[in-house]
Structure formats: structure tokens, C-alpha cells
């Protein structure tokens, strides 16, 4: 529950920050003649809706296992991540379309004071990225990782807008569309980040086992449990913030069924105690002949 509450607080932090920035960016872009800032505002609005989806996903994924979902509801997290990626792609397409329209339509250069606004936004978004990304690693949450990369993509679009406005201001006549081209460059970064968010979530849905470090930790802990003479197969599946494990453990083949059963439970309890992020742990006992 503590892990879920931390994740929820992190998403609410992102949501409130994006809502405030959307307002600041829109009015700064409108009064400062900068479509790059307005494009940034559009992305921030999309991020607010994406954060709501992430919040719903985290709450649903944290529901306990039931008869229909014996492994819990953790798979809801990567599914929500797919929706978030969809939101990002739609926002990128919207920004690209409007940028092209602006390039084809003459308009005045952006105001110089918009650079100060963008500088503050870039700093805030990078701080937000570091905070949310660190928590996503701590909680092993794919949806929080997507949330973090929203902040990073927002920072990148703001950097592109800053450069575009700088060129438009100092370039003078003929360079008014520089910030519109900057918006197009930002779109490319957003789409690249979409792939970075989508790929791990797809691996989670497909039960991709690429958890080498966790596997080594499980084997090390198992070797310290009395009665366990080593481990064989170790399969790991990630679902939300939990890892489900199937582990084959070697025990003395001369033990009784009851003794092997007790060792299996001791191993299971030890793993769950030492690694809190483990969910369902299935122990299969393999007879081992001790010479």
C-alpha cells in the first residue's frame, strides 16, 4: 500500500504541474507570438489527461488478486502505458500539423521575454523528470516511467522552442518561422520517446524475461536457505510493480514429501521477505542426490 500511495502522489504531482504549465505556456505563446510555446501547451494538456490515465491504471493494478485474476491486476499498468503513448502520438501529430500551417502563413517574430519563460520551464521539467524517473525505478513501474518521459519530452520541446525563438529574434526578418521549425524538431523527439516508452511495456505484456540482476539475487538468497542445494530454472514475469517468479530448487532426494514441502515454503517466505517487490512465487522441488 505504501508503494501504491507513493506512486499516486507522484502522478498527482505531475498532473498539477502540467496543468499549471499548460496555462503559463498558452498565454505566454499567445501574447508572445510563439507557436512553439503554444505547441508546448498542447503537449502539457495532453500530459494532464495522460496522468489521469496513469492514476487510474496504478489504482486498478494495485487491486489484490481474486478468483478471476490469481496473479493480481498488474498487467493494467502496461496497457495504460499503451494509451499514454497513443496520447503522445496524437499530440505530436497535432503539433506537426499546426506548425506546418504556421510556416505557410506569415506571422510576426516571438517576443524576447518568452525566452525567460522557457528557461524556467526547462529547469522545472528536468527537475520533474529526475524526481518521477527515480521513483519509477524505485517502484519498478512502467506507467511511472512513461510519466517521467512525458516530463523529459516536454523539456526537449521547450529546448527546441528556446532555440527556435532565439534564432527568430536575432535572425530578424525572414527568420520568423524558426520557432515553428523548432516545433517540428520537437515532434521528432516526442515520437522517439514514444518508442522508448512503448518497448518496455510491450515486453511486460509479452512476459519478456530480461531480469538478469533479479534472477541472480533470487539464486543468491535461495542458496542461503537451509536444505536448498542450488537452483535450476528461474522464470520471472513482471506485472505492474510486482514480479512473479517460478523457481526450481534442488533438495536432498532422500527427504520425505513433508520435509521437501516445508523447505519450499521456507524458501518462498524468505524470498518474499528479502525482495518486497515479488508477487506470486511458485517453488518446484527437484530431487538432488547428495554423494
Amino acid at each position: 500500500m505504501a508503494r501504491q500511495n507513493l506512486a499516486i502522489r507522484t502522478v498527482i504531482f505531475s498532473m498539477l504541474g502540467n496543468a499549471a504549465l499548460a496555462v503559463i505556456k498558452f498565454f505566454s505563446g499567445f501574447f508572445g507570438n510563439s507557436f512553439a510555446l503554444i505547441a508546448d501547451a498542447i503537449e502539457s494538456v495532453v500530459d494532464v489527461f495522460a496522468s489521469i490515465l496513469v492514476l487510474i491504471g496504478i489504482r486498478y493494478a494495485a487491486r489484490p488478486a481474486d478468483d478471476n485474476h490469481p496473479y493480481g491486476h498488474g498487467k493494467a499498468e502496461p496497457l495504460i502505458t499503451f494509451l499514454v503513448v497513443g496520447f503522445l502520438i496524437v499530440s505530436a501529430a497535432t503539433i506537426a500539423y499546426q506548425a506546418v500551417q504556421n510556416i505557410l502563413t506569415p506571422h510576426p517574430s516571438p517576443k524576447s521575454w518568452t525566452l525567460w519563460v522557457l528557461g524556467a520551464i526547462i529547469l522545472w521539467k528536468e527537475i520533474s523528470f529526475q524526481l518521477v524517473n527515480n521513483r519509477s525505478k524505485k517502484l519498478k513501474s512502467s506507467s511511472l516511467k512513461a510519466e517521467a518521459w512525458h516530463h523529459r519530452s516536454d523539456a526537449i520541446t521547450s529546448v527546441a522552442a528556446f532555440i527556435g525563438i532565439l534564432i527568430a529574434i536575432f535572425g530578424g526578418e525572414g527568420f520568423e518561422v524558426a520557432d515553428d521549425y523548432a516545433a517540428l524538431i520537437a515532434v521528432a523527439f516526442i515520437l522517439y520517446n514514444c518508442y522508448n516508452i512503448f518497448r518496455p511495456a510491450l515486453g511486460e505484456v509479452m512476459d519478456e524475461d530480461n531480469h538478469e540482476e533479479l534472477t541472480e539475487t533470487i539464486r543468491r538468497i535461495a542458496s542461503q536457505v537451509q536444505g536448498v542445494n542450488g537452483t535450476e530454472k528461474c522464470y520471472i514475469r513482471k506485472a505492474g510493480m510486482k514480479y512473479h517468479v517460478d523457481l526450481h530448487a534442488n533438495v536432498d532426494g532422500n527427504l520425505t514429501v513433508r520435509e521437501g514441502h516445508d523447505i519450499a515454503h521456507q524458501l518462498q517466505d524468505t524470498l518474499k521477505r528479502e525482495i518486497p517487490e515479488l508477487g506470486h512465487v511458485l517453488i518446484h522441488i527437484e530431487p538432488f542426490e547428495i554423494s
Side-chain angles (χ1 to χ4, degrees), residues 46-60:
V46 173
D47 284 350
V48 171
F49 287 103
S51 294
I52 293 173
L53 282 177
V54 171
L55 191 61
I56 293 171
I58 288 174
R59 286 186 177 276
Y60 186 83

Side-chain angles (χ1 to χ4, degrees), residues 107-167:
H107 58 82
S109 295
K111 304 291 186 181
S112 60
W113 55 263
T114 56
L115 292 173
W116 292 100
V117 175
L118 277 167
I121 289 171
I122 292 168
L123 179 61
W124 173 251
K125 295 306 288 186
E126 185 59 26
I127 291 172
S128 298
F129 168 77
Q130 295 296 337
L131 188 150
V132 178
N133 192 49
N134 287 338
R135 289 188 179 178
S136 75
K137 292 177 180 178
K138 178 180 179 180
L139 300 175
K140 306 294 191 294
S141 170
S142 61
S143 57
L144 272 187
K145 181 179 180 181
E147 188 73 13
W149 276 98
H150 275 157
H151 291 297
R152 173 54 66 82
S153 66
D154 214 359
I156 290 171
T157 55
S158 296
V159 169
F162 187 94
I163 295 172
I165 292 173
L166 200 63
I167 294 173

Side-chain angles (χ1 to χ4, degrees), residues 138-244:
K138 178 180 179 180
L139 300 175
K140 306 294 191 294
S141 170
S142 61
S143 57
L144 272 187
K145 181 179 180 181
E147 188 73 13
W149 276 98
H150 275 157
H151 291 297
R152 173 54 66 82
S153 66
D154 214 359
I156 290 171
T157 55
S158 296
V159 169
F162 187 94
I163 295 172
I165 292 173
L166 200 63
I167 294 173
I169 291 172
F170 287 98
E173 188 175 350
F175 287 87
E176 296 88 353
V177 296
D179 78 318
D180 300 313
Y181 281 107
L184 289 178
I185 294 173
V187 166
F189 278 106
I190 293 172
L191 293 177
Y192 174 71
N193 286 332
C194 283
Y195 173 78
N196 288 332
I197 297 168
F198 175 82
R199 181 62 188 85
L202 178 63
E204 187 172 330
V205 169
M206 298 297 293
D207 289 334
E208 191 172 60
D209 190 350
N210 55 357
H211 313 291
E212 292 82 5
E213 185 176 343
L214 180 58
T215 299
E216 288 303 314
T217 301
I218 289 173
R219 293 189 188 279
R220 176 178 54 79
I221 294 173
S223 67
Q224 298 170 359
V225 174
Q226 185 175 4
V228 176
N229 297 301
T231 55
E232 295 183 8
K233 297 175 184 177
C234 182
Y235 300 135
I236 301 176
R237 294 174 292 132
K238 186 174 184 296
M241 288 182 271
K242 292 290 185 179
Y243 293 88
H244 302 305

